[in-house]
Amino acid sequence: MTRYSIDEFIKQTEQEDKGEGLFELESPRILEVNLESQVWAKAGSMIAYNGRIKFEREGILEHGLGKSFKKALTGEGTSLMKATGQGKLYLADEGKKVIILQLQNDVIFVNGNDLLAFEQSIQWDIKLMKRIAGMMAGGLFNVRCEGTGMVAITSHYEPLTLKVTPGRPVITDPNATVAWSGNLQPEFQTDITLKTFFGRGSGESIQMKFEGDGFVVVQPYEEVHMNPNR
């Protein structure tokens, strides 16, 4: 039988150039970066590469004191690395599904734990949701990505995008919320009924409320963010 031979395995899983540009989905859970200069990626997400690529941890003053201070507040979740050089770089994050977004002068917010990589042309800033920092382990933070270029985000299993329209708000579980459009500003609310039902201190009682005109992406999984400093 050749069905399970090594040659057949290599044929089924071998890297394949699709000619899609800087970011390609090598598989649903592996991002291929056809690196020619520089890209930002989640620290620790490199699984393989070839060519001449240099990796640098984000410098403490690389983006100014403001970002460094916010970064310190959020723990390790937003650690980024800079990959510079020429070659092929393969990124993954705990087997999560990879989604590539081509921003065209757009703004999108991404949960800090679900941002995998983005082009050098993208402007970014870390936003700590201070109002719930004491309500959830380690608080909750997100990254604001703006400009024109590619952004790769991750989701546990298949993501679901919900439209937000005036008069029809969408309420989500913060731990299941992956991303949302830049024109939305979520508010946090506590559902007293759920709090009573699940017991005091349960994260289920905290909800994100999105109002206006835009979209929010959720995943069928609740990520619990632990602050290593606690």
Side-chain angles (χ1 to χ4, degrees):
M1 288 181 66
T2 59
R3 183 178 174 190
Y4 297 115
S5 69
I6 290 177
D7 286 344
E8 184 62 22
F9 171 74
I10 292 172
K11 181 180 175 183
Q12 293 294 327
T13 61
E14 191 173 13
Q15 181 268 334
E16 176 187 356
D17 281 323
K18 300 181 177 70
E20 294 172 358
L22 177 66
F23 285 4
E24 293 184 8
L25 285 180
E26 186 57 41
S27 79
R29 301 174 193 280
I30 298 175
L31 177 70
E32 178 185 292
V33 181
N34 294 296
L35 191 63
E36 293 182 354
S37 57
Q38 182 179 304
V39 72
W40 285 97
K42 186 174 185 176
S45 63
M46 185 276 288
I47 59 170
Y49 73 91
N50 61 39
R52 298 176 63 87
I53 301 176
K54 180 183 176 184
F55 299 94
E56 293 177 90
R57 195 69 173 238
E58 178 193 1
I60 191 68
L61 296 177
E62 180 133 19
H63 301 287
L65 282 171
K67 271 186 192 173
S68 298
F69 178 67
K70 283 182 283 188
K71 185 172 181 295
L73 287 175
T74 63
E76 282 297 303
T78 48
S79 294
L80 295 171
M81 64 180 182
K82 183 166 55 175
T84 308
Q86 291 81 38
K88 289 187 182 294
L89 171 62
Y90 299 95
L91 305 174
D93 186 15
E94 299 181 346
K96 293 160 69 176
K97 186 178 177 70
V98 180
I99 301 114
I100 299 173
L101 301 173
Q102 174 69 58
L103 270 57
Q104 300 280 2
N105 199 25
D106 297 313
V107 180
I108 189 170
F109 286 92
V110 184
N111 185 308
N113 205 44
D114 301 319
L115 182 63
L116 182 62
F118 54 91
E119 272 192 78
Q120 189 180 2
S121 58
I122 297 293
Q123 295 180 323
W124 62 279
D125 193 14
I126 295 168
K127 303 287 185 182
L128 178 66
M129 300 181 180
K130 297 174 186 174
R131 284 188 57 190
I132 64 164
M135 300 163 75
M136 299 178 69
L140 191 74
F141 60 92
N142 58 73
V143 182
R144 183 183 190 271
C145 297
E146 179 179 9
T148 297
M150 286 183 163
V151 176
I153 66 176
T154 58
S155 167
H156 283 280
Y157 312 106
E158 301 297 326
L160 173 67
T161 300
L162 300 169
K163 285 285 192 74
V164 181
T165 56
R168 297 191 67 181
V170 171
I171 293 95
T172 67
D173 181 327
N175 290 325
T177 307
V178 173
W180 58 93
S181 51
N183 56 326
L184 297 180
Q185 297 291 332
E187 292 184 6
F188 290 90
Q189 62 184 29
T190 303
D191 190 309
I192 302 300
T193 309
L194 276 177
K195 195 165 188 176
T196 304
F197 182 75
F198 285 105
R200 192 179 177 124
S202 168
E204 293 280 356
S205 62
I206 305 166
Q207 300 170 344
M208 295 176 77
K209 184 177 183 180
F210 295 88
E211 290 187 284
D213 192 359
F215 65 87
V216 57
V217 182
V218 293
Q219 62 185 0
Y221 183 94
E222 291 181 43
E223 288 182 303
V224 178
H225 308 283
M226 296 302 295
N227 189 331
N229 300 320
R230 289 178 69 143

